[in-house]
């Protein structure tokens, strides 16, 4: 009797661990505008739907004014829009074209592995920040809205953008990182459709607005 009871005590925590659910994979949490599509590996393209789980290798596509929001398994999030195409590859996002804004929620800063966003000319890594990337045929732009963003360029150079800084590659030429002017930051914030019409909140938006206010309070460095 004592032996059976002891065995039962041991078995309960083992059963509990076995039944612990795995974190859900990436999921579409909002479709702010259409057209927006998903294409899983080996399957036809379908309309993107809120609540849809996304398997590794899934391709997301939007046509302007289409835009959607995805929450990753670890809680990090991104919005995709414009004439965009992006492939999910584990901890990396492969942005082939279009616009993306990705962020780490304030309570999750300090995670060991960064979220990496790859483009044809550079890979951006974020741990505790909000980054905007726009990829067009002749230009790829990287903007840190708040926090620090590491950009590993195709020239082998690693650049760290501070909050409010932007850099771009146009054709074959990389521009040096520069700080947005307060007017430019406010204009970008107001007219970028990835900031508007979503019902699911963007957790770092207060930090972005605080960063913009900081740009107004800090004198611009001389050129």
């Amino acid at each position: 009797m004592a032996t059976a009871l002891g065995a039962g005590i041991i078995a309960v925590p083992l059963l509990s661990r076995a039944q612990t659910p795995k974190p859900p994979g990436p999921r579409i949490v909002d479709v702010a505008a259409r057209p927006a599509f998903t294409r899983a590996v080996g399957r036809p393209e379908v309309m993107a739907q809120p609540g849809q789980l996304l398997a590794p290798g899934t391709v997301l596509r939007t046509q302007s004014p289409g835009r959607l929001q995805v929450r990753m398994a670890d809680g990090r999030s991104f919005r995709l829009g414009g004439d965009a195409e992006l492939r999910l590859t584990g901890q990396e996002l492969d942005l082939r074209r279009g616009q993306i804004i990705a962020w780490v929620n304030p309570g999750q800063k300090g995670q060991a592995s960064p979220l990496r966003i790859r483009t044809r000319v550079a890979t951006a890594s974020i741990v505790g920040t909000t980054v905007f990337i726009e990829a067009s045929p002749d230009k790829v732009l990287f903007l840190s809205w708040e926090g620090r963003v590491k950009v590993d360029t195709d020239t082998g150079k690693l650049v760290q953008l501070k909050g409010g800084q932007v850099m771009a590659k146009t054709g074959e030429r990389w521009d040096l990182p520069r700080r947005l002017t307060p007017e430019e930051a406010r204009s970008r914030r107001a007219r970028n459709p990835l900031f508007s019409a979503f019902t699911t909140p963007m957790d770092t938006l207060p930090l972005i607005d605080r960063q913009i206010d900081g740009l107004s309070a800090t004198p611009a460095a001389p050129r």
Side-chain angles (χ1 to χ4, degrees):
M1 179 72 176
T3 303
L5 181 59
I9 292 173
I10 294 173
V12 169
L14 291 176
L15 181 61
S16 177
R17 285 195 295 269
Q19 291 180 344
T20 300
K22 295 181 180 179
R27 181 190 299 268
I28 297 175
V29 295
D30 200 349
V31 179
R34 299 187 183 277
F37 309 92
T38 71
R39 187 177 74 250
V41 177
R43 293 177 178 250
E45 187 175 74
V46 297
M47 296 289 290
Q49 301 293 340
Q52 182 178 353
L53 283 171
L54 304 171
T58 295
V59 174
L60 306 176
R61 186 173 69 86
T62 62
Q63 293 174 235
S64 186
R67 50 197 184 276
L68 56 79
Q69 179 171 324
V70 172
R71 182 178 175 87
M72 308 290 284
D74 56 15
R76 293 179 279 193
S77 302
F78 68 88
R79 292 175 176 177
L80 188 71
D83 294 316
E85 184 175 324
L86 177 143
R87 184 172 179 267
L88 299 171
T89 57
Q91 290 296 315
E92 193 167 271
L93 307 176
D94 182 7
L95 180 66
R96 297 170 180 175
R97 64 176 183 270
Q99 297 183 351
I100 184 173
I101 188 166
W103 67 92
V104 177
N105 295 342
Q108 294 179 298
K109 291 185 178 183
Q111 290 190 8
S113 60
L115 174 63
R116 292 165 56 87
I117 307 170
R118 186 174 64 208
T119 72
R120 67 177 185 275
V121 301
T123 298
S125 300
I126 66 172
V127 176
T129 188
T130 307
V131 66
F132 169 76
I133 303 174
E134 181 172 16
S136 64
D138 59 346
K139 183 177 182 178
V140 181
L141 178 143
F142 298 83
L143 165 60
S144 172
W145 270 114
E146 55 89 19
R148 296 178 183 268
V149 176
K150 293 181 179 179
V151 182
D152 190 359
T153 71
D154 56 0
T155 62
K157 186 175 181 180
L158 182 63
V159 180
Q160 185 166 256
L161 296 179
K162 299 178 182 178
Q165 284 190 322
V166 62
M167 66 183 293
K169 183 174 185 180
T170 306
E172 297 299 318
R173 180 176 61 85
W174 277 102
D175 297 329
L176 293 175
R178 66 175 180 85
R179 197 185 69 178
L180 296 175
T181 66
E183 295 76 19
E184 185 180 4
R186 284 192 291 267
S187 175
R188 284 183 173 275
R189 166 73 172 84
R191 59 187 173 84
N192 191 321
L194 295 182
F195 284 118
S196 62
F198 285 86
T199 58
T200 305
M202 181 176 178
D203 304 82
T204 59
L205 200 54
L207 300 178
I208 292 173
D209 289 337
R210 195 179 308 158
Q211 177 69 59
I212 294 173
D213 291 341
L215 292 174
S216 302
T218 306
R223 294 191 176 184

